[in-house]
Amino acid sequence: MIKTNRNRLVMQSVQGQISHPASVYPYRLMHDGTSHTLPATGGITYNVQIGDTAMGWVGDHIEPGVTIKAKDEKANGALNLLACIGNEAKVVSGDAKGAEGFVTGIHGGVEHVMVYFHQKVLEKMAIDDQILIKAYGQGLQIQQLPEIMMMNLDPELFARMNIKIASDGCLEVPVVTEVPAYLMGSGIGSPTAAKGDYDIMTADPDANKKYELDQLRFGDLVLLRDCDNTYGRGYLKGAVTIGVIIHSDCIKMGHGPGVTTIMTCKTSKIRGIKDSKANIAHYMEIK
């Protein structure tokens, strides 16, 4: 049995409102030099949800479900730092008041938190509706493997993910695919992985096919090979990171599907076990 410190973790309220999509310039430049006018981040995305494909949408950095942000800068910093994937979320204002969902990702740069709600709830929502999250999970530790740093993950979701400690002492985690370090792009060099995400670059079609990136879905668990996310994001031979796909593919150079880190280790104490069902939607029983 995996032993954690979950009974010592602190649960706090963080809150944000549904953010409006924002745009200053009408065009986005693709890696082939062409310009495009496309939907992007923010708002309520009615037809894109966790479990859906993260590839092929006519958009850029599309965030599934509901995007929230706090208007105060410090409050939004706490929202993005403390909210963890799998955390309970509740609508506390507007026509959908009382509806419950859960956090699906944290998007850096725009500093957004994404939340899943049932389709019927989305139809009742409006921009600026307030959503409260029971933030719980930062500081989570596996007692038998202190060298593995956990982050951005609700302890209850962790318990559902069929993660095991193998006889050789490695943590075995279900993943849909493994990604080499050279494909990690935007977000490299960030000072922390305890909030936000970084992108898998998808401009190379051969790499997309080889590593099955063209099959990625929102909520998929992926293993990042030779990627150290302990105190920032960078390359380290032998390091292993596990993350969750939180936003769609992108047209910009150096960008692609976003990955929020949930665990990382400077050594190879994490082993990926290939599993096509390794998706947050599956563990949260979303159909």
Side-chain angles (χ1 to χ4, degrees), residues 188-204:
I188 287 286
S190 295
T192 181
K195 65 175 184 176
D197 72 306
Y198 68 140
D199 290 4
I200 304 171
M201 295 185 288
T202 51
D204 188 315

Side-chain angles (χ1 to χ4, degrees), residues 45-54 57 62-66 85-87 101-106 114-119 122 157 216-221 244-248 277-287:
T45 305
Y46 296 99
N47 62 336
V48 182
Q49 280 283 21
I50 186 170
D52 291 343
T53 180
W57 294 100
I62 297 300
E63 299 168 334
V66 177
I85 294 174
N87 281 169
F102 61 88
V103 174
T104 64
I106 303 97
M114 284 85 78
V115 187
Y116 166 84
F117 289 99
H118 191 278
Q119 187 68 32
L122 299 185
L157 176 55
L216 287 175
R217 301 165 295 167
F218 297 105
D220 274 349
L221 271 66
V244 177
I245 301 297
I246 57 97
H247 70 63
S248 79
K277 293 182 179 180
N279 186 283
I280 301 304
H282 171 67
Y283 301 126
M284 298 297 286
E285 300 181 352
I286 301 300
K287 297 181 180 180

Side-chain angles (χ1 to χ4, degrees), residues 151-229:
M151 61 189 80
N152 306 319
L153 183 64
D154 188 288
E156 180 59 33
L157 176 55
F158 173 74
R160 298 183 184 187
M161 291 167 60
N162 196 30
I163 295 172
K164 302 175 181 178
I165 298 178
S167 58
D168 62 357
C170 284
L171 192 71
E172 294 186 336
V173 183
V175 296
V176 299
T177 193
E178 295 192 7
V179 183
Y182 67 80
L183 288 180
M184 300 311 297
S186 177
I188 287 286
S190 295
T192 181
K195 65 175 184 176
D197 72 306
Y198 68 140
D199 290 4
I200 304 171
M201 295 185 288
T202 51
D204 188 315
D206 290 336
N208 293 346
K209 184 175 182 180
K210 179 178 179 180
Y211 297 105
E212 300 179 339
L213 306 180
D214 51 357
Q215 300 177 38
L216 287 175
R217 301 165 295 167
F218 297 105
D220 274 349
L221 271 66
V222 295
L223 184 148
L224 310 180
R225 181 68 62 187
D226 299 322
C227 291
D228 180 12
N229 279 217

